[in-house]
């Protein structure tokens, strides 16, 4: 369990630096002399760095020891935070954020593979959940704390503190990760890495991931105006709703990990169907504050509960060539986030209103249910077992 804690700390650090920028965006924009919309490119640039640079870096470094690579990525993170704290202008800040994002994308792909290799097969889902919880806990603790630090001492202080968090991540990985972490997997050829993506369990899981992101970020991107304009909440209550959503997500990620270890596909299909129902409930109760808050918390829990078995399934079916596939997990999430936000914007611009967003999410979840059921039936008929990890030479 201690090696997983080391991986969690670094995941928490990467998650915090990705999301905290939203909390200090006005201060960053003012400090660098750009408008807030222009500063928003620091968010989209980071997502692009994860989606594109992460898989490329993972492939380029597949022959490096996994422990060495993870520590190297944490060092890159730490240097990147210090450099962001000293950034003299917007362009340098954007380039630095993209560089850190490339390390972020590679880190989560490698950390997932290492994590499942550190535990017995029946604990893989929980190992994935521990890494994934770094993102949820960063939203519950890291982002509010980083925002508060920025408000008190300026946005540059936020990045200095995250740099210190990077130092802690490096120290814990040096101390707690076994030297042989991830060594049970020998590097596969590029052609084999690409071929495993053709396995139906892999590409259908990536479709499920995309549908999940539409169900989550189609609404979450616009959750604040939805709560203010549709639900009629006071602006001072919105951060508390988001905090409760984050708590629900943290509980959900461990529940999803347990279910992935128990009965992966039946649990996944059930949760996808439940999420479609919850999004329908959100549409129905959105004008009623108490019911809406309860629904938002359950929705947050299910979002991350579903994420754990999807990722566990991808890792299980790519165990013999995991570098590219595992790095596509954070890429897929970020591409899905971008598409979901764009879909939401298109719907709003077309005049459908904020209440239409959970309806679109519910439809995406029903598509996911159909894909998951078809995938399970296909798998049952083929009677093919997940591959064994490629033996190290």
């Amino acid at each position: 369990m201690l090696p997983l804690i080391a991986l969690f700390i670094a995941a928490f650090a990467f998650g915090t630096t990705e999301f905290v920028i939203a909390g200090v965006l006005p201060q960053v924009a003012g400090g660098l002399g750009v408008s807030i919309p222009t500063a928003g490119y620091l968010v989209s640039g980071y997502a692009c760095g994860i989606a594109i640079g992460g898989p490329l870096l993972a492939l380029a470094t597949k022959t490096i020891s996994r422990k060495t690579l993870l520590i190297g990525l944490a060092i890159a993170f730490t240097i990147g935070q210090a450099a962001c704290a000293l950034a003299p202008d917007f362009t340098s800040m954007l380039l630095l954020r993209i560089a850190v994002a490339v390390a972020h994308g590679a880190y989560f792909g490698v950390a997932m593979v290492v994590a499942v290799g550190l535990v017995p097969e029946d604990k893989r889902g929980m190992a994935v959940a521990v890494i994934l919880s770094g993102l949820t806990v960063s939203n519950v603790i890291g982002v509010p704390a980083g925002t508060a630090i920025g408000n008190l001492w300026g946005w540059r202080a936020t990045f200095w503190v995250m740099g210190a968090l990077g130092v802690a991540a490096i120290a814990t990985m040096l101390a707690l990760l076994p030297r042989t972490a991830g060594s049970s997997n020998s590097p596969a050829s590029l052609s084999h890495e690409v071929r495993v993506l053709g396995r139906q369990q892999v590409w259908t899981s990536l479709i499920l991931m995309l549908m999940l992101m539409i169900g989550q970020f189609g609404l979450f991107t616009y959750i604040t105006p939805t709560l203010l304009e549709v639900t009629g909440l006071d602006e001072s209550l919105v951060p508390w709703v988001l905090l409760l959503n984050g708590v629900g997500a943290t509980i959900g990620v461990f529940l999803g990990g347990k279910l992935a270890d128990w009965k992966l596909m039946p649990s996944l299909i059930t949760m996808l169907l439940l999420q479609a129902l919850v999004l329908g409930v959100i549409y129905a109760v959105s004008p009623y504050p108490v019911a809406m808050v309860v629904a938002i918390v359950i929705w947050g829990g299910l979002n991350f509960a579903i994420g754990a078995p999807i990722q566990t399934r991808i890792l299980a079916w790519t165990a013999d060539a995991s570098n590219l596939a595992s790095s596509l997990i954070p890429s897929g999430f970020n591409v899905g986030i971008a598409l979901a936000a764009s879909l939401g914007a298109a719907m709003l611009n077309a005049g459908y209103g904020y209440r239409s967003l959970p309806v679109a999410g519910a439809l995406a979840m029903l598509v996911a249910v159909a894909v998951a059921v078809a995938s399970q039936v296909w798998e049952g008929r083929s009677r093919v077992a997940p591959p064994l990890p490629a033996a190290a030479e």
Side-chain angles (χ1 to χ4, degrees), residues 20 25-26 86 185 195 235 285 296 301 330-331 374-375:
V20 78
L25 198 62
L86 298 169
N185 298 77
R195 277 200 305 274
E235 192 171 8
V285 305
I296 288 292
S331 292
S375 177

Side-chain angles (χ1 to χ4, degrees), residues 139-140 220 223-224 227 237-247 296:
N139 274 292
V140 176
F220 191 79
I223 191 66
T224 296
L227 291 171
L237 295 177
V238 172
W240 295 103
V241 177
L242 297 179
L243 175 64
L244 289 173
N245 178 268
V247 171
I296 288 292

Side-chain angles (χ1 to χ4, degrees), residues 341-354:
S342 299
L343 175 63
M347 292 175 65
L348 295 173
N349 289 333
Y352 286 102
Y354 293 114

Side-chain angles (χ1 to χ4, degrees), residues 49-65:
I50 293 174
I52 300 170
L56 295 176
L57 182 60
L59 285 176
T61 56
K62 65 181 182 179
T63 59
I64 299 175
S65 153

Side-chain angles (χ1 to χ4, degrees), residues 25 93 95 148 213 238 242 268 277:
L25 198 62
M93 181 72 164
L95 293 174
M213 290 298 96
V238 172
L242 297 179
L268 179 56
L277 294 173

Side-chain angles (χ1 to χ4, degrees), residues 7 45 94 129 148 157 165 182 187 198 204 208 214 235 268 301 305 313 316 330 338-339 341 366 376:
L7 295 173
L94 178 60
L165 190 59
T204 53
L208 296 182
I214 292 173
E235 192 171 8
L268 179 56
R313 192 176 193 229
L339 288 175
L366 292 176
Q376 187 185 29

